[in-house]
Amino acid sequence: MQKKQIWVLHGPNLNRLGLREPEIYGSTTLEQINQSLTTRGQFQGFDIQCHQSNHEGALIDLIHRAPDAQVAGFVINPAAFTHTSVALRDALAAVALPFVEIHISNVYRREPFRHQSYFSDLALAVICGFGPNGYNLALDHLMAQLQPAS
Ligand code: DQA
């Protein structure tokens, strides 16, 4: 049987993780996060594909491709697009696949403009403030939701 596929989507500036504001985002790189997610997914029989883009349209195009690619759901850190992008929200609504929203930092302890998300009311769950480990928590939750009951 074919493995269920999960796409992990990282928004703008997350390619700079490890170097970018380490006091907020820590020292773990995106590559380390992706590696950990891929291994974790494989262990549970899922195929994990990770994508990062600094471009809103590129992320939207990817999301549109997901149903044809037989994707079962997303873990997404929309980064700054969280607070700005109706277009990315609409793309997720259009494909209607389950997703977990994750933020490395606790956005509610930060500037007021970070308290608004265009995604949270569509998300299965929202994880924020757990640092890079939040990605593992997000993936575990999504896999549990996608796993057929035994
Ligand atoms: C972030 C929080 C956003 O406010 C910010 O723009 C990011 C990263 C996080 O993971 O904590 O780029 O999504």
Side-chain angles (χ1 to χ4, degrees):
M1 201 176 73
Q2 221 190 337
K3 285 183 179 173
K4 278 193 182 149
Q5 209 185 141
I6 292 174
W7 281 3
V8 179
L9 304 179
H10 305 282
N13 301 306
L14 294 173
N15 53 316
R16 301 287 296 166
L17 279 181
L19 300 170
R20 171 194 184 201
E21 299 174 276
E23 66 289 356
I24 298 175
Y25 299 112
S27 57
T28 309
T29 65
L30 191 64
E31 210 176 302
Q32 289 168 329
I33 289 170
N34 289 342
Q35 187 54 60
S36 150
L37 293 174
T38 307
T39 310
R40 205 176 184 85
Q42 273 168 358
F43 194 68
Q44 301 243 9
F46 285 82
D47 175 16
I48 311 294
Q49 304 286 328
C50 303
H51 305 273
Q52 188 276 331
S53 180
N54 295 322
H55 305 279
E56 193 175 17
L59 290 166
I60 292 168
D61 287 344
L62 258 172
I63 291 166
H64 289 173
R65 280 205 288 277
D68 283 346
Q70 313 290 325
V71 171
F74 306 106
V75 167
I76 180 167
N77 183 348
F81 292 146
T82 307
H83 321 298
T84 63
S85 183
V86 176
L88 205 49
R89 173 201 167 88
D90 285 352
L92 286 165
V95 299
L97 290 171
F99 71 91
V100 177
E101 174 185 351
I102 180 257
H103 302 285
I104 296 165
S105 64
N106 179 355
V107 286
Y108 299 103
R109 289 188 70 179
R110 301 181 65 193
E111 304 94 322
F113 66 82
R114 295 186 202 275
H115 300 178
Q116 145 94 9
S117 167
Y118 281 107
F119 299 84
S120 300
D121 63 309
L122 297 179
L124 270 183
V126 182
I127 297 205
C128 84
F130 288 85
N133 189 43
Y135 281 99
N136 292 326
L137 303 176
L139 181 62
D140 284 354
H141 184 68
L142 183 61
M143 290 191 300
Q145 297 296 309
L146 294 174
Q147 208 75 265
S150 54

